[in-house]
């Protein structure tokens, strides 16, 4: 393995058959809060891996349907770990995952790597993908020497120029506001018959109302899957934990 560019190209090629892609590289200086590797050393760089639009969905679904237990309780996390653990082993990098506590600051890393900014929903908005992207894991490197391609940083924040801001007026319970996202209010609505027939079936209505990145909107089955993964109290008997 030579410089970082060839490592990145290799990882990109390993991710492509799973519908996953590279979502940015963060390098940590001596003053930065860097994640720790298993042996207690600081990581020098983190490579974000994620999903752009619904590209991963058919690959994940095919895997899930091939499993006797349909992937278990957290199938997307399990699939992500199978795919990314294997790539980490091949490349010699240590993986970490967004849903594993203590939560690593995936969104902060994404902001650093790609210059993304949060939408009123709390989700980062991407100028091309809109709200239709997520992070499935990251590879932490002890060292990543050599010349690094400058990450493509976003110069535009779509929310700044969005005149009507439909995400702020679409939520039936006003859970999305310029002051932040009212998680409790959202959840109270989701367990009602209206919530079950609306957002729980077709995805967060406020997210759906955003006009940016329409071509990358998740397929219906994926929208429903992500909403069910929120595991609302009283709907499956378990406490709510994020499975995003
Ligand atoms: C906890 C959590 C939640 C909680 C939020 C509770 C709260 N008020 O903080 C709940 C369960 C409500 C949630 C919901 C969703 N989440 Co969530 N969540 C997380 C998780 C696991 C940890 C966040 C955290 O504490 N990070 C630790 C701090 C230190 O990291 P940070 O980057 O410095 O902090 C940022 C966040 O805390 C963010 N933030 C603050 N308040 C809120 C509120 C919400 C709703 C979100 C999304 C972010 C957010 O702002 C900080 C600075 O940017 C992250 C994964 C991760 N590891 O980051 C996913 C994550 C943020 N979630 C994500 C998503 C997609 C969602 C949902 C859309 C899932 C869905 N159902 O489709 C929903 C949001 C809307 C809805 N309709 O409910 C994505 C966002 C991707 C993106 N494009 O930015 C992430 C990164 C997971 C992933 N695999 O990609 N989530
Ligand atoms: S509807 Fe407008 S303000 Fe809301 S997330 Fe989309 S671009 Fe941003
Ligand atoms: S999921 Fe439904 S209730 Fe929750 S913020 Fe989105 S539109 Fe509002």
């Amino acid at each position: 393995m030579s410089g970082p560019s060839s490592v990145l190209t290799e990882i990109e090629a390993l991710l492509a058959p799973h519908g996953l892609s590279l979502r940015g590289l963060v390098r940590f200086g001596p003053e930065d809060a860097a994640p720790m590797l298993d042996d207690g050393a600081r990581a020098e760089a983190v490579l974000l891996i994620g999903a752009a639009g619904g590209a991963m969905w058919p690959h994940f679904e095919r895997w899930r349907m091939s499993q006797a237990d349909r992937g278990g309780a957290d199938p997307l996390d399990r699939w992500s770990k199978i795919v990314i653990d294997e790539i980490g082993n091949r490349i010699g990098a240590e993986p970490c995952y967004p849903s594993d506590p203590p939560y690593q600051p995936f969104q902060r890393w994404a902001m650093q790597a790609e210059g993304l900014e949060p939408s009123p929903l709390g989700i980062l908005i991407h100028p091309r993908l809109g709200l239709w992207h997520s992070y499935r894991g990251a590879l932490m490197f002890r060292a990543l020497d050599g010349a690094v391609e400058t990450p493509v940083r976003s110069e535009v924040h779509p929310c700044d120029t969005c005149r009507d801001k439909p995400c702020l007026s679409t939520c039936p319970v006003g859970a999305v506001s310029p002051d932040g996202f009212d998680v409790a209010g959202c959840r109270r609505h989701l367990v009602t018959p209206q919530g079950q027939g609306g957002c729980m079936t077709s995805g967060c209505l406020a997210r759906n109302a955003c006009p940016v990145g329409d071509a990358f909107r998740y397929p219906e089955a994926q929208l429903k899957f992500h909403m069910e993964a929120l595991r609302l109290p009283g709907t499956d008997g378990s406490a709510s934990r994020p499975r995003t």
Side-chain angles (χ1 to χ4, degrees):
M1 221 180 293
S2 48
S5 301
S6 65
V7 179
L8 302 197
T9 308
E10 187 179 355
I11 297 174
E12 213 153 27
L14 293 168
L15 290 171
H18 306 284
L20 294 172
S21 45
L22 290 182
R23 296 298 317 279
L25 176 69
V26 187
R27 278 184 171 282
F28 303 101
E31 306 297 317
D32 299 331
M36 295 293 179
L37 299 166
D38 271 353
D39 65 3
R42 293 170 89 248
E44 187 197 86
V46 158
L47 193 58
L48 295 172
I49 293 170
M56 71 164 192
W57 185 251
H59 303 276
F60 163 65
E61 272 292 80
R62 207 170 307 124
W63 169 82
R64 186 159 64 139
M65 290 309 146
S66 73
Q67 302 297 302
D69 64 353
R70 293 290 182 262
D74 303 309
L76 186 54
D77 290 344
R78 192 162 135 202
W79 175 77
S80 305
K81 286 180 181 180
I82 292 170
V83 172
I84 298 171
D85 279 358
E86 195 191 321
I87 297 176
N89 281 337
R90 267 175 89 154
I91 299 290
E94 219 171 89
C96 68
Y97 296 95
S99 299
D100 282 354
Y103 296 136
Q104 297 287 358
F106 271 76
Q107 289 189 296
R108 210 181 313 149
W109 290 343
M111 288 160 83
Q112 274 171 254
E114 286 193 298
L116 304 186
E117 288 191 36
S119 68
L121 281 151
I123 314 169
L124 301 179
I125 189 157
H126 185 283
R128 191 170 52 91
L129 307 170
L131 302 172
W132 307 107
H133 65 107
S134 67
Y135 301 91
R136 297 308 333 147
L139 290 174
M140 302 187 286
F141 291 85
R142 186 177 304 274
L144 195 62
D145 299 329
V148 177
E149 295 153 46
T150 318
V152 183
R153 286 184 63 81
S154 168
E155 299 298 330
V156 209
H157 178 43
C159 301
D160 290 344
T161 49
C162 174
R163 208 191 51 198
D164 297 334
K165 299 200 178 352
C167 65
L168 291 172
S169 52
T170 309
C171 172
V173 291
V176 185
S177 82
D179 303 329
F181 180 59
D182 173 10
V183 177
C186 165
R187 297 200 151 204
R188 274 195 303 273
H189 174 71
L190 294 181
V191 294
T192 65
Q194 292 86 341
Q196 291 289 307
C199 307
M200 287 304 290
T201 308
S202 48
C204 170
L205 302 180
R207 190 183 193 183
N208 287 343
C210 177
V212 185
D214 209 34
F216 296 95
R217 188 177 296 274
Y218 295 164
E220 242 170 71
Q222 185 177 356
L223 287 171
K224 195 163 188 286
F225 172 88
H226 289 307
M227 293 307 287
E228 282 169 359
L230 285 173
R231 292 208 184 138
L232 302 168
T235 53
D236 72 351
S238 63
S240 67
R241 284 180 56 199
R243 293 290 193 287
T244 48

